[in-house]
Amino acid sequence: MEQKNARDSRENSQARKEKNTRSYKHVQLERKRPQLTKGDDAQSTPSAKRGGAGGQSRPPRSRSQQGERRSADVPKKDPKATLKIIPLGGLDAIGKNMTAFECKGDMILDDAGLMFPDDDHPGIDLILPDYTYVLENAEKLRGIIITHGHEDHTGTLPYLLKDLDRQVPIYATKLTLGLIEGKLAEHKIKNAKLVEIKPGDQIKLGCFTAEFFAVNHSIPGAVGVFFQSPAGNVLHTGDFKLDQTPIDGVHTDFGALSKFSKIGVDLMMSDSTNAQNPNFTPSEAEVGKNLSKIISQAKGRVIIASFASHIHRMQQICDAAIANGRKVVVTGRSMIQNTDIARRLGYLKVSDTDIIDAYDLKGIPAEQVVIMCTGSQGEPLSALSRIANGEHRTISIEEGDTVIISATPVPGNEKAVTRVINSLAKIGADVYDKKRAMVHVSGHAGAEELKLVLSIVQPRSFMPVHGEATHLRAHAQLAEATGVASENIFICENGESLELTAKGVKRGETVQSGIVFVDGLSVGDTSQSVLDERNALGSQGFATVAAAVSKKRKDVVGDVRVEMHGITGGDDEYLQQDAAQTVCNALKRALSKETQTRELEKACKSALLSILWERTKQRPMVIVNVLDIP
């Protein structure tokens, strides 16, 4: 009886898993060209003017929420309680950040990001973390906290919200919510519950209390979170750096870090992106000085490519352009959309008279414009790539124009960026990148900054997050150097959980994790085997064999046809004839011994691969179709 119950339990568990991990087909995204908002709308807020993009409802703040900060009761400590910390993404790459916190039947999700594909993912649009564990425990989910508005922290939200069977509140700062609203509107998601928080606020989520504190990053509105639970306290820094001359005047809150240290930090999770950089990360203000100098010396038009979410960089570009008597032109879908959101929310200050759409550029002299565009990563369809290839509808580039690539290539994008730079150089453009001038600085803390924060917080245990394996290990070494005991430092992989109790932190059970591919409108349908086939097709080509046989007479009927695509020498008539004859001979030999179709196809494939390897040293994908004629 016990064995039967165990078997039934496993079958039910498997059924739930299959139900929760099935693929979902999503609606067509909204792809209308965004417009820059003009007039009074540029200064309005989402709640005042839009009522939430795409129909999202942002609940009104209660009287207790309208002050400078909200407070919540600190949970009482329970020596029997266990807090599970479950990273579902962000520990194998820089991207798709997602961590679940679970205690006494309550769960919080911290960030829900995505990652962009690299050369090993042909045809893939986006990569999401596998959030099956969240769906399986959806009844426990009390809220989703988003630390800032970058795609690697927000991009999975539309897919997750569609898969959840109930409304879950999303907590974030004003700009982050604005960017999320735009993203949900594209996916036609309505009635999402978006709740604005501010640094200093405390909110109650089940048995958790979450307190937010300001951090400086490459986007406004970034926060870290201090989680207090009956089992213990966890500090998540979010992405940060210690810029002492920030563009918006917002510093990383040292006072809050010191306060949390006094309360007691049982586990600290901290950004590891720049852990291998031995220095302090330079201030964003240094970029503005260099941009202004380059723009003042430029003769023709100036084109600047940067991340569309880098509002601080966009503000400095606008300031430098206006100071040099130039209009700001905005092009690229995400650049237009984020510029519009940032202006409406008051994070990007530029008047209507100084900013124009690319479609209104006609008649303005080249020396009177600065063009902000997407394409800093060399994306083939981005505005900068289309400009460089002469394919942009309204913007052309001429010899003597200045192009500034105000970003560092994400690992894997170096070749694409170099390709764009070479295209611009052939035209005669004067190209600036990070190698030539300080036109970009990172938004992540270097090693000295990380050590400073570790020294302030003095955590009992430490888990590096947000980075590749080398970054995590480097950050772990910094933690040990600042006094964290080596046995209390946990370098984890996605899905490997930690358990925090009154006795300390230890490793827990591993949960389902991994990645989910977004391929067009298909989510989760593309498997690794499909990608392997695509890579094989791209690198070796493919060949097809079509043959008719009579198993009864054990003979080949008619000619064997071989077609080759993407194979060196595949268009050679003699190679085609030899390949067809070789396959025909192999098929006849196989027919004399075997009549199973599978074995006949195997013989054809083996014969074709042998001759192609002998003649071309290639092993393409081979598709065989053997038709039996009575």
Side-chain angles (χ1 to χ4, degrees), residues 120-124 517 526-536:
D120 294 331
H121 304 110
I124 298 301
F517 297 118
T526 306
S527 64
Q528 187 60 49
S529 62
V530 172
L531 292 184
D532 293 341
E533 289 180 355
R534 289 179 182 176
N535 282 311

Side-chain angles (χ1 to χ4, degrees), residues 567-585:
I567 300 172
T568 303
D571 55 351
D572 187 311
E573 183 179 351
Y574 295 105
L575 177 60
Q576 291 178 350
Q577 291 175 355
D578 290 347
Q581 188 60 52
T582 299
V583 172
C584 184
N585 294 338

Side-chain angles (χ1 to χ4, degrees), residues 191-497:
N191 301 319
K193 187 176 182 181
L194 306 180
V195 183
E196 182 183 336
I197 55 90
K198 295 180 179 179
D201 282 352
Q202 291 180 340
I203 59 173
K204 188 77 170 174
L205 296 170
C207 68
F208 292 91
T209 295
E211 181 171 351
F212 303 93
F213 61 99
V215 295
N216 179 266
H217 189 38
S218 54
I219 186 172
V223 294
V225 193
F226 182 55
F227 296 99
Q228 297 184 72
S229 77
N233 307 327
V234 178
L235 174 68
H236 178 213
T237 64
D239 290 0
F240 77 98
K241 70 176 186 178
L242 305 183
D243 191 340
Q244 300 308 299
T245 55
I247 302 304
D248 59 359
V250 177
H251 299 78
T252 296
D253 192 343
F254 292 106
L257 295 174
S258 179
K259 182 184 78 171
F260 302 145
S261 176
K262 292 178 181 178
I263 295 173
V265 177
D266 298 299
L267 176 68
M268 176 175 168
M269 302 163 55
S270 185
D271 175 17
S272 306
T273 305
N274 270 357
Q276 292 180 299
N277 176 8
N279 305 309
F280 282 84
T281 301
S283 171
E284 175 66 25
E286 297 301 314
V287 176
K289 297 175 184 176
N290 285 281
L291 291 176
S292 183
K293 181 179 178 181
I294 295 170
I295 292 172
S296 67
Q297 296 173 350
K299 303 299 182 184
R301 62 176 56 79
V302 178
I303 301 172
I304 305 179
S306 70
F307 289 111
S309 60
H310 206 326
I311 310 301
H312 293 149
R313 187 72 44 81
M314 292 158 64
Q315 182 68 67
Q316 293 196 101
I317 293 170
C318 292
D319 292 344
I322 295 167
N324 287 280
R326 294 176 179 252
K327 300 288 186 182
V328 178
V329 180
V330 185
T331 186
R333 177 180 177 80
S334 58
M335 185 67 74
I336 293 174
Q337 183 169 295
N338 288 4
T339 298
D340 192 43
I341 292 170
R343 292 183 70 216
R344 281 194 264 112
L345 296 178
Y347 288 93
L348 180 61
K349 296 176 174 58
V350 55
S351 67
D352 288 346
T353 58
D354 291 319
I355 189 167
I356 58 176
D357 190 281
Y359 280 79
D360 301 325
L361 189 56
K362 188 176 180 180
I364 301 178
E367 65 275 7
Q368 293 182 15
V369 298
V370 170
I371 299 167
M372 292 195 307
C373 68
T374 55
S376 63
Q377 299 302 305
E379 305 95 319
L381 299 180
S382 66
L384 182 62
S385 293
R386 288 186 283 120
I387 293 171
N389 296 328
E391 299 171 352
H392 198 281
R393 291 185 179 181
T394 60
I395 299 173
S396 60
I397 193 166
E398 300 175 0
E399 184 175 356
D401 288 346
T402 299
V403 178
I404 302 171
I405 299 179
S406 186
T408 297
V410 173
N413 291 345
E414 295 88 352
K415 290 183 179 179
V417 174
T418 301
R419 193 179 303 118
V420 172
I421 291 175
N422 284 330
S423 297
L424 295 168
K426 288 179 180 179
I427 299 172
D430 192 14
V431 183
Y432 287 83
D433 61 7
K434 189 179 179 182
K435 297 177 183 177
R436 185 175 174 187
M438 188 182 285
V439 294
H440 174 72
V441 295
S442 175
H444 301 269
E448 292 302 315
E449 295 159 276
L450 296 176
K451 288 194 291 185
L452 180 56
V453 171
L454 280 161
S455 298
I456 293 173
V457 175
Q458 296 181 334
R460 297 183 181 91
S461 299
F462 179 72
M463 179 172 71
V465 295
H466 196 289
E468 299 173 351
T470 54
H471 305 124
L472 303 182
R473 194 158 295 278
H475 202 174
Q477 292 172 352
L478 297 177
E480 188 172 0
T482 57
V484 182
S486 59
E487 62 269 19
N488 293 333
I489 298 175
F490 300 90
I491 300 177
C492 299
E493 295 185 4
N494 296 327
E496 294 181 352
S497 68

